[in-house]
């Protein structure tokens, strides 16, 4: 799980151009939206693309994504249970 | 300004009359498409058939250009002035123009640049003045009518021909799909079951004349006395929860007009969750929630650059018949404000209405159109024009910034360059002179350039920043539109084995996003607009900026020329200007 968390942090930093951040700067338990990492709805859509591209997970709507994307750890748990590649 | 004549060219018909009859008959060409253009996801859209496209094709012109030419010709058929005169301006409204022609590896953008397209259209038709393209995302059509009103009210031109046109392609449809904004079945504006928008193809044209040229209350012509554009300064793709921009635009156009003098409101009504809810909030805030309202996307889909013009023309034509068309697709109210939405065509007792529209980049626009005595009591009593007197005034430049690939000048002074080579030039400039806005890293080249130049300009201005204001407009111009972002997005959809359309890249393929970034950063809720010209034309840009400054609520304008071909070929000149003696 910890390896997957690190991988997700690296993938998200690259996909969202969080250029000045490193994996250590992201708290795996912290909220991704609003006060936490400060991501927005376009970022949520980009994470949906990332999950499909990298893990074969298809989400149909942004609201479905937002329910899963509460923290990096929550995404990692979802990925480990649903990944197709 | 007065509307002399018009045309709507859509899959439903090639004249305004044919379109009106189709709409009143409840016809729609929204069709579900599967497995076309190599797209894995189905979509629903209203598109010209191959036969229709072929029959309208002009030699040497693209599909989009041919539709525009047909529509403009048809509209000019009813005009009795010399449209080849020097007092006529052609304004083209388009969100994505010929982007269907872009191929991977294209480095020569000429075939699809919107400025070059507009010039081709102007040449075929014989217009003598340089055309202006308004590319303000989904509000482009009403934005273009706004520009026409500014240029006619200010007396710079006597006539304006305004044509909105967009065609559909894998590029555009996949982009809206990546934003999860589309529905694969016919859209349902304002309905509780709405699940997204459909896209559509169309061209629509209005031929307009200044108030001093034709018209008068007894002329029987439609009058567009008020137009307004405002930015939410909230988010690039989500409208303000309080509908700030739409409310401001509505407030502007309703100044002096009583609710009892309005027949109806024609809404944007895209059938996305956010848009329709936002419009409902705006109507409540401005006190129009009980007025009859309708939306036309159920017939045409969202025709992007054509929408604002098409829907205004169709609303006028229907009102001439005393009718307000039904909101096709609507059955049960699905917004939080009780609205009086037409589910079946109804009688209209006053030929006066407001058209609303909103788009990505935080933009919102509205116009007030009326016929005969329905000008608004206070509006008709006072001077007709909204413009403030500017006789003898000219542009006063307060500050300037120029950014080139190897230098930065602020007020003509060379700035010290960053002492590092680990980052790209623009990122290094950002780190040295700004540094507190991580969203910068997410921007495309055009937005980075515009953002940085505006930061340096506003640092030079000094004083208080970041408080909400509506008295400053942001107007940017260029030749290449969003060429750099278009190529980046195209890469994400070109390979069928690696087809992952990127929403964050697609959003920057709307060139006005750079103006939205500046508005959001600075809380600017005034007008933001993006114009594309065939070539840099300072006198024409100056005319547009001056006409904008003549609006009573605009005190200053940030305007500039921003060109971003690639990482090593870019240039930005930006100025902060006011009117002065």
């Amino acid at each position: 799980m910890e390896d997957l968390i690190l991988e997700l942090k690296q993938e998200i930093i690259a996909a969202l151009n969080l250029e000045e951040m490193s994996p250590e700067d992201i708290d795996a338990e912290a909220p991704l939206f609003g006060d936490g990492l400060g991501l927005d709805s376009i970022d949520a859509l980009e994470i949906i693309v990332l999950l499909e591209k990298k893990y074969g997970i298809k989400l149909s709507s942004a609201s479905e994504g937002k329910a899963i994307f509460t923290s990096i750890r929550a995404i990692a748990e979802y990925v480990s249970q649903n990944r197709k590649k | 300004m007065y509307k002399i004549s018009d045309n709507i060219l859509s899959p439903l018909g090639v004249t305004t009359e044919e379109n009106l009859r189709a709409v009143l008959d409840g016809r729609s060409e929204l069709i579900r498409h599967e497995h076309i253009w190599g797209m894995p996801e189905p979509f629903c859209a209203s598109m010209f058939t191959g036969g229709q496209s072929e029959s309208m094709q002009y030699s040497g012109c693209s599909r989009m250009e041919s539709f525009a030419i047909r529509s403009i010709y048809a509209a000019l058929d009813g005009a009795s002035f010399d449209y080849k005169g020097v007092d006529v301006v052609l304004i083209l409204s388009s969100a994505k123009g010929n982007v269907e022609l872009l191929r991977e590896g294209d480095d020569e953008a000429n075939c699809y640049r919107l400025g070059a397209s507009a010039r081709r259209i102007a040449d075929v038709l014989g217009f003598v003045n340089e055309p202006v393209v308004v590319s303000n995302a989904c509000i482009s059509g009403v934005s273009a009518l706004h520009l026409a009103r500014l240029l006619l009210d200010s007396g710079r031109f006597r006539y304006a021909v305004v044509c909105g046109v967009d065609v559909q392609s894998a590029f555009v449809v996949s982009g809206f799909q990546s934003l999860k904004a589309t529905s694969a079945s016919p859209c349902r504006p304002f309905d509780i079951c709405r699940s997204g928008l459909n896209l559509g193809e169309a061209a629509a044209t209005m031929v307009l004349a200044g108030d001093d040229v034709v018209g008068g209350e007894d002329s029987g012509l439609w009058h567009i006395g008020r137009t307004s554009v405002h930015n939410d300064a909230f988010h690039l793709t989500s409208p303000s929860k309080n509908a700030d921009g739409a409310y401001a635009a509505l407030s502007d156009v309703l100044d002096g007009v009583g609710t009892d003098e309005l027949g109806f409101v024609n809404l944007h009504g895209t059938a996305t969750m956010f848009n329709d809810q936002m419009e409902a909030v705006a109507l409540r805030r401005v006190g129009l929630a009980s007025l009859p309202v309708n939306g036309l996307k159920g017939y045409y889909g969202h025709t992007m650059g054509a929408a604002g013009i098409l829907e205004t023309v169709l609303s006028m034509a229907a009102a001439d018949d005393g009718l307000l068309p039904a909101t096709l697709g609507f059955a049960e109210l699905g917004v939080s404000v009780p609205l009086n939405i037409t589910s079946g065509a109804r009688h209209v007792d006053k030929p006066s209405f407001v058209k609303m529209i909103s788009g990505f980049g935080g933009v919102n626009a509205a116009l007030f159109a009326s016929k005969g005595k329905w000008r608004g009591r206070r509006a008709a009593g006072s001077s007709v024009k909204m413009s403030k007197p500017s006789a003898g005034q000219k542009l006063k430049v307060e500050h300037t910034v120029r950014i080139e690939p190897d230098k930065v000048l602020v007020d003509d002074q060379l700035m010290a360059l960053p002492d590092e080579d680990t980052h790209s030039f623009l990122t290094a400039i950002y780190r040295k002179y700004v540094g507190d806005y991580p969203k910068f890293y997410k921007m495309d080249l055009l937005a980075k350039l515009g953002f940085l130049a505006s930061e340096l300009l506003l640092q030079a201005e000094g004083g208080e920043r970041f408080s909400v204001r509506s008295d400053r407009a942001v107007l940017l111009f260029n030749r290449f539109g969003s060429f750099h972002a278009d190529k980046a997005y195209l890469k994400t959809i070109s390979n069928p084995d690696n087809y992952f359309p990127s929403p964050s890249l697609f959003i920057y393929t709307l060139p006005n996003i750079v103006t939205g970034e500046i508005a959001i950063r600075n809380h600017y809720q005034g007008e933001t607009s993006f114009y594309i010209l065939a070539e840099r034309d300072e006198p024409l840009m100056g005319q547009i900026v001056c006409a904008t400054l003549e609006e009573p609520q605009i005190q200053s304008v940030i305007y500039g020329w921003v060109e971003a071909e690639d990482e090593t070929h870019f240039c930005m000149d930006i100025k902060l200007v006011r009117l002065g003696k």
Side-chain angles (χ1 to χ4, degrees), chain A residues 27-46:
Chain A
D27 179 353
E29 324 294 333
L32 292 174
F33 299 91
D35 293 341
L37 204 49
L39 304 187
D40 70 3
S41 54
I42 305 176
D43 297 318
L45 294 168
E46 203 62 49

Side-chain angles (χ1 to χ4, degrees), chain B residues 408 414-418 429 432-433:
Chain B
V408 177
L414 271 174
M415 300 285 282
L417 295 181
I429 298 286
K432 182 173 172 72
Y433 288 107

Side-chain angles (χ1 to χ4, degrees), chain B residues 290-537:
Chain B
S290 61
L291 214 64
V293 296
N294 78 338
L296 296 167
K297 301 292 191 291
Y299 304 94
Y300 294 101
H302 188 343
T303 55
M304 306 193 338
I309 299 164
L310 185 159
E311 292 166 16
T312 302
V313 170
L314 198 97
S315 296
M316 288 172 169
D320 282 339
D321 278 5
L323 292 169
L324 178 63
T327 305
L328 190 62
F330 170 79
E332 184 184 349
L333 190 70
V335 291
S336 68
V337 180
L339 292 182
N340 188 0
I341 294 175
T342 55
S343 51
R346 69 167 80 175
H347 177 68
V348 168
D349 58 352
K350 299 178 200 83
S352 69
F353 69 94
V354 167
K355 165 77 194 142
M356 288 173 69
I357 201 157
S358 301
F360 289 152
V363 281
N364 302 269
L367 64 79
F368 170 63
S370 62
K371 208 169 173 177
K373 63 177 180 173
W374 300 100
R375 285 268 194 99
R377 279 184 290 272
R378 281 194 290 132
S382 63
S383 165
V384 175
K385 289 175 185 171
M386 285 172 79
S387 308
K388 62 193 171 200
S390 61
Q393 299 206 78
K394 52 186 181 185
L395 282 187
K396 200 173 110 207
V397 178
E398 296 198 338
H399 296 282
T400 63
V401 169
R402 181 175 174 85
I403 300 181
E404 290 178 33
D406 57 357
K407 64 179 169 212
V408 177
L409 292 106
V410 175
D411 292 334
D412 295 324
Q413 301 294 310
L414 271 174
M415 300 285 282
L417 295 181
D419 188 19
E420 61 144 299
D421 56 7
T422 50
H423 296 91
S424 71
F425 182 69
L426 292 182
T427 298
I429 298 286
Y430 162 78
R431 289 166 64 90
K432 182 173 172 72
Y433 288 107
V434 186
D436 64 348
Y437 199 66
K439 272 190 71 187
F440 171 82
Y441 293 110
K442 299 184 181 183
M443 297 177 192
D444 80 320
L445 184 64
L446 189 69
K448 277 181 175 161
L449 198 50
F451 171 83
L452 271 185
S454 65
E455 283 295 305
L456 296 173
L457 189 76
L458 294 167
Q459 287 174 13
E461 182 191 26
E464 190 195 344
R465 284 184 68 187
F466 310 123
S467 54
V468 174
R469 62 190 293 180
S470 297
D471 62 348
R472 176 168 284 175
V474 180
L475 311 178
L476 297 183
F477 299 75
N478 82 357
R479 251 177 353 131
F480 283 86
S482 51
F483 186 46
H484 189 256
D486 290 354
K487 287 194 292 184
Y489 176 73
L490 188 67
K491 278 194 178 125
T492 72
I493 60 168
S494 291
N495 180 355
D497 298 326
N498 192 26
Y499 175 92
F500 295 103
S502 163
S504 59
L505 291 179
F506 179 71
I507 192 68
Y508 288 101
T509 70
L510 299 164
N512 68 307
I513 291 297
V514 53
T515 63
E517 295 280 20
I518 295 170
I520 292 168
R521 163 70 161 172
N522 296 290
H523 310 293
Y524 287 169
Q525 293 187 345
E527 178 182 348
T528 58
S529 289
F530 199 95
Y531 302 113
I532 301 176
L533 305 176
E535 298 295 340
R536 184 166 176 167
D537 184 334

